[in-house]
Amino acid sequence: MDLGGLKSKEYLEISPQGKMPVLVCEDGAIPESDTISRWLLDKFSDKKPSFIPSASAARAKSDLICRFHDLYITTIQSAMYRAAPPYGQFTSRVEALQELAKQLQVINDYVDAKGPYLTGPDISLADATVFPTMVFVMHMLPKFSPAEVQLPTEEPGRLAGPKLAR
């Protein structure tokens, strides 16, 4: 499907913000990662694993981790790979990466201590949401981080916190 670019009239008709991703399916155009993910969970709810924890506390924790990730991490995670600012509200890569580390620690504090998944014994949407960011944090960021950002290069998972890095 050729829509002529993210700001074209055709694309804006299916994604009013002019952002990616957008899923075009039998139910119409569905923009935004979290909405797409939740649509997929509902659409394939008869398949296993369901990505919906069995315990209500774990479901709430999954929703919270997803929300924090979307609000406070995705807005600045481009600082890990974008060559020039802006990085969300930050004009400096160092500031953005420091905020990224802080927000990863916040999420780490919500991760279930026993695991093996972020919310406990059941895999959840939180695991699927956070996974791509953690690949960047643990494998790409240590290779391309500016010298001013102190990363535990011998153990990059410490940046995110031990529970989140597992």
Side-chain angles (χ1 to χ4, degrees):
M1 174 184 306
D2 182 13
L3 296 174
L6 297 178
K7 300 300 179 188
S8 70
K9 179 180 179 250
E10 295 82 7
Y11 191 80
L12 292 172
E13 287 176 5
I14 64 168
S15 182
Q17 299 296 336
K19 305 279 185 181
M20 291 190 330
V22 62
L23 173 67
V24 178
C25 60
E26 66 269 14
D27 290 337
I30 303 171
E32 298 297 331
S33 299
D34 188 65
T35 305
I36 293 167
S37 297
R38 292 175 191 283
W39 181 88
L40 290 167
L41 290 179
D42 185 61
K43 179 76 174 171
F44 298 101
S45 61
D46 60 328
K47 308 291 184 205
K48 298 294 177 199
S50 71
F51 286 80
I52 301 171
S54 55
S56 60
R59 288 192 301 274
K61 192 178 284 193
S62 175
D63 288 347
L64 185 61
I65 290 171
C66 289
R67 183 79 172 143
F68 280 0
H69 180 271
D70 284 355
L71 286 175
Y72 306 115
I73 292 179
T74 60
T75 57
I76 57 174
Q77 72 182 12
S78 66
M80 289 190 280
Y81 48 81
R82 184 177 287 164
Y87 311 107
Q89 67 188 21
F90 302 96
T91 56
S92 134
R93 175 176 277 166
V94 172
E95 290 175 310
L97 290 175
Q98 288 169 340
E99 181 65 16
L100 176 67
K102 174 185 164 192
Q103 295 303 329
L104 288 170
Q105 287 296 322
V106 169
I107 288 179
N108 183 73
D109 291 344
Y110 284 97
V111 173
D112 184 82
K114 294 179 186 172
Y117 300 105
L118 296 182
T119 63
D122 301 320
I123 194 166
S124 71
L125 181 56
D127 296 282
T129 298
V130 172
F131 177 76
T133 297
M134 293 308 299
V135 169
F136 273 97
V137 167
M138 296 183 71
H139 300 287
M140 300 299 289
L141 186 56
K143 294 177 182 172
F144 300 105
S145 179
E148 311 90 89
V149 177
Q150 297 299 312
L151 294 176
T153 53
E154 72 285 351
E155 195 179 337
R158 282 192 10 232
L159 175 69
K163 295 183 290 183
L164 191 55
R166 67 168 186 241

